[in-house]
Amino acid sequence: MGARFGRDARGPLAGLLIAALVSLACAGGGLAEPEAERPGTNPTAASPGPSTTRADSTTSVAEFEQDVADAQEVAERYWTAQFKESGQRFRPIRRITPYQRDGEVSCGGQPLPRNNAVYCSQGDFIAYDVAWSVAAFRQVGDAFVFYLLGHEYAHAIQVRLGINYSFTIQQELQADCMAGAYLGDSVRSGALTLAEGDLDEFREGVAAVGDDPDQPWFAEGAHGTAEQRTDMFFRGYEGSLKECDLG
């Protein structure tokens, strides 16, 4: 049976500053990843408690961990099929590692900060601050987890394909498109089933992680405006990988 999104977590996300889709600078594999951003100083937005939870009652840590496992399984099944179709053998990432404290996990010798998620190309793993990620999962909904894993896994695919752009924004918008393709294709194949409100959740979530309008597009760490990121995600979601300029 395919994984299933179960939360109807609709509503504006303007107050939720998610850093999930930014990566720490790690050398290796031809991919230079941008320095991590941190959420805003509003403690309610950054660390929602029961009174601010937007999702339904299925918000336990165990359910979060199951969603992470499901998202990883679906992503690896998807990319295995894509590589096989092109005559290549797919190599999954080495691991997904949760952490709780600043510096508990390092990437290329650089400690990872809290309130962050990252694909480390040098160690070939995804790491995330578990307390922060669970808080975002509870406030946004379970589709957040599949988007988070999809985007970070896309960076691993870029490394495997030898893709290395001159500007951070190119790398990040392509990863958004690839995350959209993995999700859209998985829904069309029946590997994932959307619940009511999940598409709105994707749209609002992607928009919430857009750069500040004053951020120069060519700056190191630029990811794209809300409009750019939403556009690229849904290009991939609706049109699959052919929209993602993978060559």
Side-chain angles (χ1 to χ4, degrees):
M1 177 179 293
R4 179 180 296 273
F5 297 143
R7 266 173 210 77
D8 182 3
R10 292 167 288 181
L13 299 183
L16 180 63
L17 303 179
I18 306 171
L21 306 182
V22 296
S23 303
L24 191 74
C26 297
L31 174 61
E33 297 167 351
E35 186 173 350
E37 299 168 345
R38 288 178 176 270
T41 57
N42 182 338
T44 300
S47 301
S51 63
T52 59
T53 296
R54 296 174 62 239
D56 62 20
S57 60
T58 55
T59 58
S60 70
V61 172
E63 286 155 339
F64 168 82
E65 291 173 345
Q66 185 60 57
D67 277 343
V68 171
D70 287 344
Q72 180 180 8
E73 179 184 355
V74 174
E76 291 179 352
R77 188 188 315 158
Y78 176 75
W79 288 113
T80 296
Q82 297 303 316
F83 273 60
K84 183 177 180 180
E85 187 175 322
S86 62
Q88 303 178 63
R89 181 175 177 273
F90 174 67
R91 176 173 52 87
I93 63 170
R94 292 181 179 179
R95 65 186 184 277
I96 295 179
T97 302
Y99 64 92
Q100 301 181 54
R101 298 179 300 277
D102 284 330
E104 182 180 347
V105 176
S106 295
C107 176
Q110 186 171 357
L112 300 182
R114 291 183 59 201
N115 303 321
N116 194 36
V118 56
Y119 167 68
C120 177
S121 53
Q122 186 165 4
D124 193 30
F125 65 90
I126 292 171
Y128 63 90
D129 177 344
V130 64
W132 166 81
S133 299
V134 170
F137 157 77
R138 287 172 171 165
Q139 191 165 15
V140 180
D142 57 353
F144 161 81
V145 178
F146 287 79
Y147 177 31
L148 166 65
L149 264 294
H151 180 99
E152 298 303 342
Y153 221 114
H155 285 313
I157 302 304
Q158 289 171 327
V159 168
R160 282 151 173 74
L161 295 178
I163 296 172
N164 189 22
Y165 286 105
S166 300
F167 297 99
T168 303
I169 192 172
Q170 296 170 294
Q171 207 90 19
E172 296 300 332
L173 290 177
Q174 184 182 60
D176 280 336
C177 182
M178 294 164 70
Y182 131 78
L183 287 165
D185 288 346
S186 295
V187 169
R188 284 184 285 272
S189 72
L192 289 173
T193 302
L194 295 185
E196 182 182 357
D198 280 332
L199 280 178
D200 290 335
E201 184 178 310
F202 284 137
R203 188 179 305 278
E204 294 171 0
V206 177
V209 296
D211 289 337
D212 186 284
D214 295 329
Q215 168 92 328
W217 68 268
F218 51 83
E220 180 67 21
H223 282 58
T225 65
E227 293 76 12
Q228 287 173 317
R229 299 198 71 172
T230 302
D231 177 64
M232 290 304 295
F233 176 84
F234 279 100
R235 281 191 193 185
Y237 186 91
E238 295 167 2
S240 192
L241 292 172
K242 67 179 181 292
E243 299 293 332
C244 302
D245 194 27
L246 294 178

